[in-house]
């Protein structure tokens, strides 16, 4: 690999491909690299809400490399890129190699004619100036490995070796092997194949076989008593291919592969090695969340292990190819993959690949994608697209079958008539779908099901359906848990939101589009033809922040069972209780409720893998309850009157205790707890060391509202690559952060120790209830830990602090124990560690600090789409009329006034109604035309005198297409209107 010591500049330097260009002022860095992640969030970030308000731009990379005489003599040389986003152009020694528009495809160039002995240089221009170029966050730059390969003149073609089983059981497997060779000689060429078992025992050797032109096909290879690749036992064989010129060995490649037998049946679903397997999957963007587009092997192992421990056995890569290391890890960990190549087959985001390059590039990119990934046993099917359409789907399926006859083809509800497997997204969540679907000649998979949203540690007792769905529209009914909503805290008062979507979502299983998690689990388990469910999503991800969540300051999509930092949500334990294989018991909600009145009854749910649970409160049994199999019996449930204390849940299986857990009232945090998660380290200098920071009571119990800022310093040759708390509205930069607020008590650091010499972390925080309501005691704590998980000696540190915001160095008291804050104020502190390293801390306390603790009366019901946040022509942003919602409204300026916005529909094509809120400022006639994807509807009315100055709502019918909808509202009026916003009825 040639990953180190690249020069980089975030600027379009047109002459940077020239040899005499002076790049001394450029930054030196290693790839993989993501400049969008490094530069953080901005309200006017070019990726906009699609990409979590990250930037775009144009960047250049340059690198020099040395070649000796032998490298350049009688060899072929290639430079290969695993991933560059997007529109990359490559020069070698000023020679133009070419351009690859797609930001998710691996590619390379034969540079043999353009290199020379001695110093050579490569220049790469990356163009992300046209944004948003995806419907989710994308990294910017060279985010994958770069490799320089020196090969024999004649050699195996890149991705040219293909090995797969045509039949496999425990007694025998039949294998097909094929190879492609770059033939650059007139001498005879031969290939010899050797297959070795996981124990490195030779199970097949071919002898020398002659090429037919530049290809060799060796079908019907028999392997006796094979080890079959499986989810639980992912056995990997190796195929060594040796290329001979006459009798001389000139090239050798090694491919890892698995032997397994898969089939798809319309009536019974998916079969793996003769066993009917329910595919319990999640969808995952190629997004590290806390690390942007940087996905190291150990980081992927950590993520996939979390999913496997939950009981997940499959990942749909949405909606593009993943990095090569992803498939390697899935192969080795036994994770099934639905391998997806494209999002749309035409424009879906404003400047995406569908618009920029799909028509000219799709076939080349598809061929490279299939050839690169086809030897991975984890890949069980290919997906061609997501919520798109067009006759090109037929050609895509043809190309896939030509290159890989061993796998079937599907899509996320795209060109379904051409696909081998029927894949449906949101429409597969509807009650009517399950009541009416009959298996045909294709197996069925739910490529996105279910869609639910939740913020870790946040609760509501009333059901919420996205986009105003109701039981009358065919969704499954989810009853409210209480008559009146119990909880009213939020990230901010609704008067500061920009639209009605900007609320947090409940961690009970009651915040969804059409179906909840429990019903989805039941359907998958009990319906024979229901082969696969790919939940949207496994982890929260950056981007798509406007579609459901209303936009800035929301930066992320909250559909995961794990948040951006990888912390588990309550849903994780629900899945684990049904899908997992280890004993589990989990209580929700937590038991710290500062604004609840004593005696108010709280729905307490317990998820368990056992058959029953006994719940105790302050040592007294509240009874034992059995867990059922129906969706509404998957949780054991009690209504418990609120008061301070301890809930204890004990889980049983056949009358024997299998595990227990507790939730306890925690008035405020008093200490930090540091834990290292290094089980997935690979030993590479690129590894991320993962450190968890919790804000806890003296007894070590998590404070569930912890928001205090944590500060840290590293000792040793390491760097904080990222700090992430999972808060969807935290728009502080993650990269190389020096401090960060916890979110609901938790924070996670991702640290690099590139020289592998050992790094220690010291962390400190001023801790307490920011409102000073439950507890007005404030503590200051310091903890130290090394990356091997060993706590460090802090006997020599000292803390000086003030409570009036003054400088603690000059006027601070020596901290000895927690103190009381009797009124609002700012605490400052300085921590001196070992008389060398120090940390400067600050924390504010008072009734308006931290979370907003509201009530049912002050929660405003805002419209979902605010006009002032849309694209507007011939309209003015104003605030002078009373009773507008959010930050303002748009007033018509001249005819026509046009307001444009985006709406995604993950269900089928549908007729609905667009609601718009307006205020007329004078009498007159109004014509409103709503256009979407070539279809227009209209609403005409006359404003009368008694209606002037009053806010009104009207509706107009609208047809929403499946997938992307770019909606235009055109207003012609002799009146003058103020437009506040829109929602769908």
């Amino acid at each position: 690999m040639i990953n180190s010591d690249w020069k980089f500049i975030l600027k379009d330097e047109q002459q940077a491909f020239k040899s005499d260009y002076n790049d001394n002022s450029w930054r030196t860095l290693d790839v993989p690299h993501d400049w969008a992640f490094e530069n953080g969030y901005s309200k006017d970030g070019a990726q906009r809400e699609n990409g979590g308000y990250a930037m775009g731009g144009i960047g250049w990379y340059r690198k020099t490399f040395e070649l000796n005489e032998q490298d350049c003599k009688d060899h072929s040389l290639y430079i290969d890129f695993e991933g560059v986003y997007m529109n990359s152009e490559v020069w070698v020694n000023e020679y133009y190699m070419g351009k690859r528009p797609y930001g998710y495809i691996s590619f390379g160039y034969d540079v043999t004619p353009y290199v020379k002995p001695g110093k050579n240089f490569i220049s790469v221009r990356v163009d992300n100036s046209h944004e948003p170029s995806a419907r989710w966050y994308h990294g910017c730059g060279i985010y994958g490995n770069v490799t320089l390969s020196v090969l024999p003149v004649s050699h195996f073609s890149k991705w040219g070796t293909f090995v797969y089983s045509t039949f496999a059981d425990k007694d025998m497997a039949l294998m097909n092997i094929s190879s492609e060779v770059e033939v650059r000689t007139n001498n005879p060429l031969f290939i010899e194949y050797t297959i070795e078992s996981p124990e490195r025992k030779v199970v097949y050797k071919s002898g020398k076989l002659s090429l037919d032109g530049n290809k060799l096909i060796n079908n019907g290879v028999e392997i006796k008593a094979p080890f079959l690749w499986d989810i639980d036992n992912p056995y990997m064989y190796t195929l060594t291919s040796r290329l001979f010129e006459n009798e001389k060995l000139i090239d050798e490649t090694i491919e890892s592969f698995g032997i397994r037998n898969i089939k798809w049946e319309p009536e019974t679903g998916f079969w793996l090695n003769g066993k009917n397997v329910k595919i319990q999957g999640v969808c995952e963007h190629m997004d590290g969340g806390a690390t942007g587009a940087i996905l190291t092997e150990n980081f992927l192992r950590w993520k996939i292990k979390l999913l496997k421990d939950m009981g997940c056995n499959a990942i749909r890569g949405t909606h593009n190819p993943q990095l090569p290391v992803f498939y390697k890890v899935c192969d080795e960990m036994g994770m099934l993959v639905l391998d997806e190549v494209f999002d749309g087959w035409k424009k879906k985001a404003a400047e995406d690949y569908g618009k920029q390059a799909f028509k000219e590039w799709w076939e080349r990119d598809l061929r490279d994608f299939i050839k690169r990934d086809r030897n991975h046993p984890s890949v069980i099917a290919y997906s061609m697209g997501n919520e798109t359409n067009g006759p090109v789907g037929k050609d895509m399926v043809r190309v896939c079958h030509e290159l890989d006859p061993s796998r079937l083809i599907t899509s996320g509800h795209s060109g379904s008539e051409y696909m081998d497997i029927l894949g449906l997204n949101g429409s597969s969540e509807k009650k009517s779908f399950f009541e009416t679907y009959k298996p045909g000649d294709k197996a069925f998979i739910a490529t996105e099901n279910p869609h639910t949203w939740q913020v870790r540690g946040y609760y509501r007792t009333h059901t919420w359906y996205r986009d105003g769905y109701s039981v009358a529209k065919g969704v499954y009914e989810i009853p409210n848990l209480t008559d009146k909503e119990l909880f009213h805290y939020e990230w901010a008062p609704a008067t500061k939101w920009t639209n009605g979507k900007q609320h947090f979502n409940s961690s009970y299983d009651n915040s969804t589009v059409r179906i909840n998690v429990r019903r989805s689990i039941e359907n998958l388990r009990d319906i024979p033809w229901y082969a696969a469910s790919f939940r949207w999503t496994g982890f929260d991800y950056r981007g798509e922040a406007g579609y459901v969540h209303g936009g800035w300051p929301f930066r992320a999509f909250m559909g995961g069972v794990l948040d951006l930092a990888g912390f588990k949500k309550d849903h994780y334990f629900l899945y684990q209780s049904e899908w997992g294989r280890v004993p589990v018991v989990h209580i929700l909600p937590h038991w710290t409720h500062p604004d609840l009145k004593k005696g108010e009854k709280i729905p307490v749910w317990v998820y368990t893998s056992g058959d029953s649970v006994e719940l105790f409160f302050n040592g007294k049994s509240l009874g034992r309850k059995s867990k059922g199999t129906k969706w509404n019996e998957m949780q054991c449930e009690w209504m418990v009157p609120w008061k301070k204390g301890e809930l204890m849940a004990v889980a049983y299986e056949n009358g024997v205790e299998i595990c227990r857990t507790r939730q306890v009232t925690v008035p405020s945090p008093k200490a930090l707890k540091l834990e290292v998660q290094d089980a997935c380290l690979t030993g590479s200098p690129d590894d991320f060391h993962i450190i968890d920071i919790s804000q806890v009571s003296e007894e070590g119990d998590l404070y569930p509202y912890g928001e205090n800022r944590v500060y840290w310093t590293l000792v040793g040759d390491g760097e904080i690559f990222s700090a992430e708390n999972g808060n969807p509205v935290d728009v502080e930069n993650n990269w190389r952060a020096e401090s960060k607020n916890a979110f609901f008590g938790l924070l996670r650091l991702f640290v690099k120790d590139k020289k592998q010499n050992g790094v220690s972390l010291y962390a400190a925080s001023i801790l307490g209830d920011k409102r000073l309501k439950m507890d007005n005691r404030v503590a200051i704590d310091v903890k130290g830990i090394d990356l091997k998980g060993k706590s460090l000696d802090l006997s020599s540190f000292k803390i000086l602090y003030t409570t009036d915001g003054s400088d603690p160095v000059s006027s601070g008291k020596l901290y000895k124990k927690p103190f009381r804050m009797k009124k609002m104020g700012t605490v400052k502190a300085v921590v001196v560690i070992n008389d060398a390293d120090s940390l400067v801390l600050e924390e504010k306390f008072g009734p308006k600090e931290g979370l907003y603790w509201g009530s049912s009366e002050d929660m405003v019901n805002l419209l979902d789409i605010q006009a002032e946040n849309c694209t507007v022509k011939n309209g003015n942003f104003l605030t002078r009329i009373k009773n507008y919602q959010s930050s303002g409204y748009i007033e018509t300026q001249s005819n026509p006034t046009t307001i444009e916005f985006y709406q995604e529909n993950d269900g089928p094509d549908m007729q609905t109604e667009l609601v718009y809120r307006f205020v007329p400022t004078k009498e007159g006639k109004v014509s409103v035309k709503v256009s979407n994807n070539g279809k227009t509807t209209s609403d005409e009315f006359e404003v009368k005198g008694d209606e002037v100055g009053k806010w009104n709502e009207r509706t107009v019918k609208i047809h929403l297409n499946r997938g992307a909808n770019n909606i235009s509202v055109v207003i012609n009026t002799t009146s003058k209107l103020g437009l506040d916003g829109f929602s769908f009825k």
Side-chain angles (χ1 to χ4, degrees):
M1 291 181 185
I2 52 170
N3 286 349
S4 61
D5 298 323
W6 287 75
K7 291 281 194 172
F8 171 74
I9 191 169
L10 186 55
K11 186 179 179 182
D12 193 7
E13 293 287 324
Q14 294 289 337
Q15 302 302 307
F17 69 94
K18 293 191 172 181
S19 58
D20 59 354
Y21 180 87
N22 186 349
D23 60 12
N24 289 339
S25 63
W26 291 22
R27 175 183 164 200
T28 301
L29 52 76
D30 296 342
V31 299
H33 173 239
D34 177 1
W35 81 66
F37 174 72
E38 290 182 352
N39 283 275
Y41 312 93
S42 171
K43 190 175 183 179
D44 59 357
Q47 294 190 38
R48 300 206 289 266
E49 68 273 10
N50 295 44
Y53 300 94
M55 70 181 306
I58 297 174
W60 279 83
Y61 298 83
R62 283 168 55 95
K63 179 175 175 58
T64 61
F65 57 94
E66 296 280 339
L67 294 172
N68 58 39
E69 290 280 354
Q70 188 60 37
D71 291 332
C72 298
K73 182 180 179 181
D74 297 330
H75 283 93
S76 296
L77 291 90
Y78 293 83
I79 290 180
D80 294 297
F81 296 82
E82 289 185 346
V84 185
Y85 198 96
M86 66 181 287
N87 291 317
S88 67
E89 295 178 275
V90 177
W91 290 259
V92 172
N93 294 334
E94 298 189 0
Y95 293 99
Y96 186 66
M97 297 292 99
K99 178 177 181 177
R100 288 306 284 256
Y102 197 26
Y104 295 111
I105 202 71
S106 298
F107 62 94
Y109 297 103
D110 181 351
V111 299
T112 309
Y114 312 110
V115 295
K116 62 186 186 299
K119 183 178 177 180
N120 295 264
F121 74 95
I122 178 173
S123 304
V124 182
R125 181 180 186 267
V126 185
D127 185 355
N128 291 297
S129 60
H130 302 284
E131 295 284 0
S133 62
R135 295 183 302 108
W136 52 86
Y137 172 81
H138 63 77
C140 289
I142 303 175
Y143 65 88
N145 295 313
V146 184
T147 304
L148 172 65
S149 300
V150 181
L151 301 175
V153 174
S154 294
H155 52 272
F156 287 106
S157 301
K158 183 179 182 180
W159 306 321
T161 300
F162 181 30
V163 53
Y164 65 96
S165 52
T166 58
F167 172 84
D169 64 16
K170 63 183 179 61
D171 298 317
M172 188 262 288
L174 291 177
M175 311 298 299
N176 285 356
I177 307 172
S178 61
S179 296
E180 295 178 3
V181 175
E182 300 297 322
V183 178
R184 297 171 182 176
T185 178
N186 293 321
N187 295 325
L189 296 176
F190 307 93
I191 296 176
E192 179 184 84
Y193 295 118
T194 303
I195 296 177
E196 294 179 299
S197 73
E199 292 75 26
R200 295 298 178 258
K201 177 183 176 182
V202 174
V203 298
Y204 171 75
K205 193 164 186 176
S206 68
K208 294 189 176 77
L209 305 174
S210 298
L211 272 72
D212 181 6
N214 70 330
K215 296 181 180 180
L216 173 61
I217 297 175
N218 185 28
N219 291 343
V221 171
E222 184 175 326
I223 297 176
K224 295 180 179 179
F227 295 95
L228 298 184
W229 186 95
D230 194 83
I231 294 166
D232 298 319
N233 298 295
Y235 289 110
M236 296 293 293
Y237 285 79
T238 55
L239 168 67
T240 301
S241 304
R242 295 180 178 89
L243 180 65
F244 294 85
E245 184 173 358
N246 291 322
E247 296 300 316
K248 181 182 179 182
L249 175 65
I250 61 170
D251 196 15
E252 178 178 284
T253 65
I254 299 176
E255 294 283 345
S256 296
F257 70 98
I259 298 174
R260 83 286 189 272
N261 179 22
I262 61 174
K263 65 177 181 177
W264 298 85
E265 297 289 350
E267 297 283 349
T268 57
F270 178 71
W271 294 77
L272 177 62
N273 301 328
K275 180 181 178 182
N276 194 200
V277 175
K278 289 293 187 178
I279 296 176
Q280 299 165 170
V282 297
C283 297
E284 279 291 291
H285 279 308
M286 193 174 69
D287 174 22
T291 62
I294 308 304
L295 293 160
T296 65
E297 181 174 339
N298 90 296
F299 184 67
L300 282 168
R301 288 186 182 279
W302 174 72
K303 290 187 71 172
I304 291 171
K305 184 178 185 301
L306 282 168
L307 293 173
K308 287 214 68 163
D309 288 349
M310 184 185 82
C312 171
N313 61 21
I315 296 172
R316 175 190 177 206
T318 50
H319 302 292
N320 47 259
Q322 310 294 297
L323 282 167
V325 67
F326 167 81
Y327 305 94
K328 173 182 183 290
V329 173
C330 289
D331 286 347
E332 295 173 359
M333 296 184 70
M335 181 66 78
L336 305 175
V337 175
L338 176 58
D339 202 8
E340 192 156 276
V341 62
F342 300 123
D343 180 22
W345 304 337
K346 49 194 169 184
K347 172 184 171 182
K348 291 181 73 174
E351 299 291 340
D352 65 2
Y353 171 79
K355 175 188 176 183
Q356 291 192 43
F358 176 84
K359 185 176 180 180
E360 296 77 19
W361 279 90
W362 74 262
E363 184 166 353
R364 183 172 178 183
D365 288 337
L366 177 60
R367 287 181 177 275
D368 284 349
F369 162 78
I370 296 294
K371 292 179 75 173
R372 187 195 70 172
D373 293 350
R374 60 189 176 177
N375 285 328
H376 291 285
S378 57
V379 176
I380 56 172
Y382 299 117
S383 173
M384 293 298 98
N386 178 68
E387 294 174 6
T388 186
N389 56 71
V392 69
K394 183 177 182 179
D395 292 324
M396 290 176 156
V397 173
R398 171 186 53 78
V399 170
C400 291
H401 287 322
E402 172 195 328
L403 294 173
D404 183 359
S406 72
R407 292 177 176 91
L408 298 186
I409 316 304
T410 189
S411 68
H413 210 168
S414 301
S416 297
E417 64 270 31
Y418 308 120
M419 302 299 148
D420 305 319
I421 302 168
L422 175 62
L424 298 181
N425 283 1
S427 58
S428 68
E429 296 176 341
K430 296 185 73 171
K431 182 180 180 182
S432 58
F433 171 81
F434 289 103
E435 291 175 341
T436 60
Y437 179 79
K438 302 294 183 185
D441 59 353
K442 300 177 181 181
F444 163 77
I445 62 175
T447 37
E448 289 180 20
N449 179 345
H451 294 79
T452 70
W453 289 272
Q454 52 285 315
V455 171
R456 169 177 52 81
Y458 177 86
Y459 303 95
R460 283 287 188 268
T461 57
H462 276 199
T463 299
W464 175 83
Y465 292 101
R466 192 203 71 193
D467 292 342
Y469 276 103
S470 65
V471 176
K473 290 189 176 182
V475 305
Y476 285 100
E477 182 177 7
I478 308 170
N480 292 330
L481 304 180
T482 58
D483 292 336
K484 293 183 179 179
E485 178 59 62
L486 287 183
F487 305 114
H488 301 289
Y489 59 100
E490 267 289 358
W491 66 277
T495 52
K496 292 187 177 180
W497 303 354
T498 60
N499 59 68
K501 297 179 179 181
Q502 291 198 313
H503 51 78
F504 280 177
N505 295 102
S506 173
S507 289
Y508 288 108
D509 189 21
N510 61 351
S511 179
T512 185
V513 183
R514 310 171 189 86
I515 190 172
N516 60 18
V517 171
R518 291 164 293 153
R519 182 86 71 166
S520 181
I521 289 173
E522 179 185 17
N523 285 348
L524 177 65
R525 182 195 66 204
D526 293 347
I527 300 173
W529 48 260
Y530 194 172
S533 171
F534 290 92
R535 174 200 165 78
W536 191 268
T537 53
F539 289 77
D540 288 354
Y541 59 91
R542 290 152 58 105
E544 288 200 84
Y547 169 40
V548 176
H549 307 307
W552 185 268
F554 280 80
R555 61 186 170 117
F557 194 98
M558 299 175 290
V561 289
L562 299 112
D563 69 15
L564 281 171
F567 289 119
K568 300 169 185 176
K569 304 182 187 181
D570 291 290
H571 276 30
Y572 182 95
F573 300 98
L574 169 55
Y575 279 106
Q576 194 174 48
S577 71
E578 294 294 323
W579 288 359
R581 301 183 183 181
V582 296
V584 62
V585 62
H586 176 76
I587 302 172
L588 67 148
H590 56 69
W591 206 244
T592 302
H593 304 291
D595 277 30
L596 283 190
K597 295 178 182 178
K598 187 176 180 180
E600 285 194 271
K601 291 184 177 181
I602 298 175
V604 174
W605 288 13
V606 179
Y607 300 136
T608 183
S609 56
D611 56 28
S612 63
V613 175
E614 188 170 9
L615 187 68
F616 297 85
F617 183 67
N618 289 339
K620 180 181 178 181
S621 176
L622 303 183
R624 185 184 294 193
K625 296 195 175 184
S626 297
K627 174 186 172 182
T629 58
K630 293 294 185 182
W631 73 273
N632 56 351
E633 300 170 352
M634 289 179 181
Q635 76 283 356
C636 296
E637 192 173 339
W638 292 260
M639 294 297 293
V640 182
W642 156 246
K643 67 176 180 179
K644 295 179 182 179
E646 178 191 75
L647 286 171
M648 173 75 75
V650 181
Y652 300 89
E653 184 70 36
N654 297 322
V656 177
E657 179 182 336
I658 57 171
C659 49
R660 61 175 57 199
T661 191
R662 64 196 281 272
Q663 291 278 14
V664 63
T665 306
V666 180
S668 67
K670 295 296 184 294
L672 296 177
K673 180 180 179 182
L674 306 185
E675 296 177 284
V676 177
Q677 293 194 41
D678 275 356
C680 295
L681 293 180
T682 68
S684 165
D686 291 326
D687 283 351
F688 288 118
H689 299 267
I690 300 168
I691 302 174
D692 293 355
I693 302 178
S694 308
Q695 298 185 347
V696 299
S697 66
E698 294 97 332
E699 295 76 25
D701 295 303
L702 181 72
Y703 179 61
Y705 304 111
E707 299 177 90
N708 301 131
R709 183 166 288 272
V710 182
Y711 301 78
W712 48 78
T713 187
L714 289 178
V715 177
D717 189 13
E719 70 172 31
I720 303 286
F721 185 83
S722 178
E724 179 58 71
N725 56 23
N727 184 349
V729 296
D730 184 348
V731 291
E732 289 186 2
N733 200 345
N734 304 80
W735 186 61
R736 293 186 178 176
E738 297 178 350
S739 68
K740 202 168 198 55
N741 290 331
F743 179 62
F744 288 154
L746 298 174
L747 173 65
R748 186 164 267 158
L749 304 183
F750 298 83
V751 180
K752 290 212 169 191
D753 177 16
K754 287 201 168 185
K755 294 190 176 179
Q756 303 288 288
N757 292 330
V759 174
S760 300
L761 172 82
Y762 293 93
S765 185
I766 300 168
L767 298 160
D769 174 9
K770 288 179 71 71
R771 288 193 306 161
L772 304 174
K773 182 169 182 176
M774 288 191 73
D775 187 348
N776 67 356
R777 293 177 301 159
V778 174
I780 306 174
D781 192 35
V782 186
K783 290 289 192 300
I785 197 167
D786 69 19
L787 294 188
K788 297 181 179 66
K790 181 181 177 182
S791 296
L792 301 174
D793 180 20
L794 290 171
S795 58
S796 61
F797 81 91
K798 65 179 180 179
I799 302 171
L800 299 173
Y801 76 98
T802 62
T803 59
D804 60 0
S806 60
D807 179 16
V809 175
S810 59
S811 58
K813 301 177 184 178
L814 183 65
Y815 176 79
K816 295 181 179 179
K817 63 180 182 179
F819 54 89
R820 295 191 181 274
M821 288 283 288
K822 296 182 179 179
K823 60 180 181 180
M824 62 182 293
T826 299
V827 178
K828 290 187 176 182
V830 60
V831 179
V832 180
I833 304 168
N834 300 325
D835 294 323
D837 299 285
S838 64
L839 291 167
V840 179
L841 321 178
E842 182 176 333
E843 190 66 77
K844 292 182 179 180
F845 296 91
K848 293 185 179 180
E849 298 297 329
L851 289 168
Y852 175 73
W853 294 82
S855 65
S856 57
E857 288 75 24
D858 63 4
M859 289 295 166
V860 178
N861 184 24
L862 300 179
L863 292 172
D864 287 344
I865 302 160
Q866 292 294 305
E868 67 271 20
N869 296 326
C870 301
T871 301
V872 179
K873 298 177 184 177
N874 297 330
N876 295 321
F877 171 78
L878 295 175
T879 59
R880 63 176 180 235
I881 293 179
K882 292 182 179 180
N883 298 324
Y884 61 83
Q885 297 180 346
S886 187
S887 59
Y889 64 98
I890 296 297
E891 184 180 76
T892 57
Q893 181 182 14
S894 61
N895 288 326
T897 297
T898 304
I899 300 177
E900 298 175 336
F901 58 92
Y902 174 85
Q903 177 70 20
E904 185 171 336
N905 171 29
D906 55 14
D909 291 1
M910 62 187 294
Q911 286 292 131
T912 185
E913 292 181 322
L914 180 69
V915 180
Y916 62 98
R917 186 171 187 258
F918 68 97
V919 58
T921 58
K922 67 177 185 179
E923 297 182 24
K925 294 182 179 180
V926 180
S927 170
V928 177
K929 291 187 177 181
V930 179
S931 299
N932 179 37
N933 299 322
K935 295 183 179 181
T936 301
T937 55
S938 61
D939 180 33
E940 296 182 355
F941 59 93
E942 187 170 347
V943 175
K944 299 181 179 178
D946 60 351
E947 297 173 322
V948 172
K950 297 178 182 178
W951 287 99
N952 296 277
E953 286 187 1
R954 289 183 67 91
T955 62
V956 58
K957 292 183 178 179
I958 184 172
H959 180 87
L960 289 181
N961 286 4
R962 183 180 77 242
N965 292 269
N966 294 288
I967 297 169
S968 174
V969 179
V970 179
I971 301 155
N972 286 277
T973 178
T974 58
S975 174
K976 208 166 192 62
L977 296 187
L979 277 299
D980 198 18
F982 308 90
S983 62
F984 290 91
K985 193 173 182 180

